[in-house]
Amino acid sequence: MPKKINKIGVLTSGGDAPGMNAAVRAVVRACAFHKVECVGIFQGYQGLIDDNFKAMNARSVNNIINKGGTILKSARCLEFRTPEGRKTAHENLLKSNIDALVVIGGDGSFTGAMIFQKEFSFPVIGIPGTIDNDIYGTRYTLGFDTALNTVVEAIDKIRDTASSHNRLFFVEVMGRDAGHIALNAGIGAGAEEILIPEENMGLDRLLESLKRSEKSGKSSSIVVVAEGDKTGKNVFEIASYIEQNLPYYEVRVSVMGHMQRGGAPSCFDRVLATRMGVHAVESILDGKSNVMVGIIDEEMTLCPLENAIKGKSKINNKLIRVSEI
Ligand code: ADP
């Protein structure tokens, strides 16, 4: 018989993402609804080790659904990677009578959660929070939709200045291993070309394509480049190569950087976070552990943490075709 769950801890870990607060709020409120206590753990796994806990109730999460970042703070914690660190974390959880943990984060955080669960048979459940959308077992991660809107809005502004001159803009967006942001935002912003880690377009094909559009009378263009694109060159090197070979355009580079992580979550992310938070709590109360909440075909799902970590979230090939057309 699994132990009855009376108290659930919640933390946010790794890179922050818009929608994390909405998920924390949903976890806290779902606990209140089911008459289970809830404890907020600050600074991710560091807070587990430092005993940085605070009891949460519905009032503690007032007015946070609309806020970016995470009120629980996030941290990268080296100590949690050691058996001694995790032992201290476990002792602190027991001392506070916490029976289960909700971890909102990315695949690094889930790796830590899985190891912890195995070592101590401690119930854990993950909620995917990362703007990169690169986690297997869910169609969408928290923050992805907001980041797309941020990028599209920024590119719209860049387009205004690009079209006022004969400018070719290279816009770098986040995505070291996955091109979800670049592909979706590139289509949404009407980019001329999109470079992603999943496909090697090659500099020569890019150059030929830009030459063709220049010949067809296009006076300005936007190229979206994911951080981890496969040309083997960074965005400045790509831009410089094109500038040398296509003198018609004034070439400019814009790196979006951390602004992609910030801002108020979109309605989509708020609804997703709320559904995931509720589902996480109800799954824990239902005896589930070592799984991640996801959304597939509009339904809440559970996927083993191990699969979420090891699996690869695939780029949508139909979108690649659409972008080419
Ligand atoms: P993300 O969750 O966004 O991928 P990180 O990769 O930085 O972010 O992971 C967040 C935290 O998860 C790390 O700081 C560390 O405390 C914990 N973690 C990551 N990998 C491991 C691991 N192999 N063992 C134990 N803890 C880990």
Side-chain angles (χ1 to χ4, degrees):
M1 244 327 246
K3 187 170 176 282
K4 185 171 181 308
I5 306 287
N6 295 312
K7 202 188 260 193
I8 295 177
V10 56
L11 60 83
T12 51
S13 169
D16 63 301
M20 281 185 162
N21 280 328
V24 169
R25 173 180 178 271
V27 167
V28 171
R29 294 203 161 194
C31 284
F33 179 82
H34 288 288
K35 306 208 168 8
V36 173
E37 286 181 70
C38 189
V39 173
I41 296 149
F42 288 80
Q43 312 276 3
Y45 292 129
Q46 192 62 50
L48 277 186
I49 291 168
D50 297 343
D51 204 4
N52 194 354
F53 301 171
K54 189 178 155 211
M56 310 278 278
N57 60 32
R59 296 284 77 76
S60 336
V61 289
N62 270 349
N63 301 326
I64 67 165
I65 194 167
N66 55 329
K67 292 206 165 73
T70 158
I71 59 156
L72 292 180
K73 312 279 186 189
S74 186
R76 299 213 145 91
C77 173
L78 284 178
E79 260 181 289
F80 198 74
R81 291 176 182 267
T82 66
E84 299 75 32
R86 292 192 294 272
K87 186 165 171 285
T88 309
H90 185 238
E91 284 164 3
N92 286 333
L93 284 167
L94 293 187
K95 205 169 67 188
S96 292
N97 298 316
I98 296 172
D99 305 309
L101 205 53
V102 176
V103 173
I104 307 170
D107 54 359
S109 304
F110 293 162
T111 306
M114 195 177 71
I115 292 170
F116 188 73
Q117 191 278 333
K118 281 209 175 110
E119 277 175 348
F120 303 103
S121 294
F122 196 89
V124 295
I125 203 149
I127 294 180
T130 164
I131 64 165
D132 292 334
N133 205 35
D134 58 350
I135 294 188
Y136 178 86
T138 186
R139 183 76 188 81
Y140 299 109
T141 58
L142 296 184
F144 174 57
D145 183 69
T146 304
L148 290 184
N149 287 312
T150 302
V151 171
V152 165
E153 197 184 328
I155 297 180
D156 286 349
K157 289 177 179 157
I158 287 171
R159 182 180 290 285
D160 288 345
T161 168
S163 62
S164 304
H165 306 266
N166 293 339
R167 275 188 184 153
L168 171 59
F169 262 92
F170 286 83
V171 181
E172 188 197 81
V173 301
M174 281 187 177
R176 282 207 184 85
D177 307 308
H180 298 287
I181 294 182
L183 184 58
N184 285 272
I187 292 174
E192 187 68 27
E193 290 294 344
I194 303 167
L195 305 185
I196 54 175
E198 291 84 351
E199 281 222 320
N200 189 358
M201 184 184 197
L203 282 182
D204 292 332
R205 258 176 67 202
L206 174 66
L207 178 64
E208 286 318 308
S209 163
L210 293 172
K211 273 186 180 161
R212 271 197 307 277
S213 59
E214 187 247 300
K215 280 210 185 86
S216 74
K218 208 160 191 297
S219 62
S220 66
S221 272
I222 309 268
V223 177
V224 173
V225 184
E227 276 171 313
D229 93 278
K230 277 282 183 305
T231 57
K233 300 203 179 306
N234 69 35
V235 69
F236 293 97
E237 291 165 339
I238 297 171
S240 145
Y241 175 81
I242 299 295
E243 187 162 39
Q244 281 161 26
N245 291 284
L246 196 56
Y248 170 79
Y249 288 119
E250 266 184 62
V251 176
R252 295 286 185 274
V253 173
S254 186
V255 176
M256 293 278 141
H258 283 81
M259 68 177 280
Q260 292 164 91
R261 287 230 184 120
S266 64
C267 180
F268 180 90
D269 274 330
R270 297 181 199 194
V271 174
L272 182 64
T274 304
R275 291 182 71 187
M276 285 181 165
V278 170
H279 197 61
V281 169
E282 295 190 336
S283 300
I284 285 177
L285 296 180
D286 205 23
K288 304 286 191 311
S289 172
N290 213 15
V291 289
M292 179 196 80
V293 175
I295 184 167
I296 294 173
D297 294 338
E298 294 308 313
E299 295 298 330
M300 287 290 108
T301 54
L302 294 176
C303 153
L305 281 179
E306 189 169 4
N307 297 0
I309 295 157
K310 290 193 180 146
K312 181 109 180 80
S313 79
K314 289 212 175 69
I315 203 89
N316 185 342
N317 284 326
K318 289 180 184 150
L319 276 189
I320 295 183
R321 184 170 172 269
V322 165
S323 80
E324 286 163 359
I325 291 172

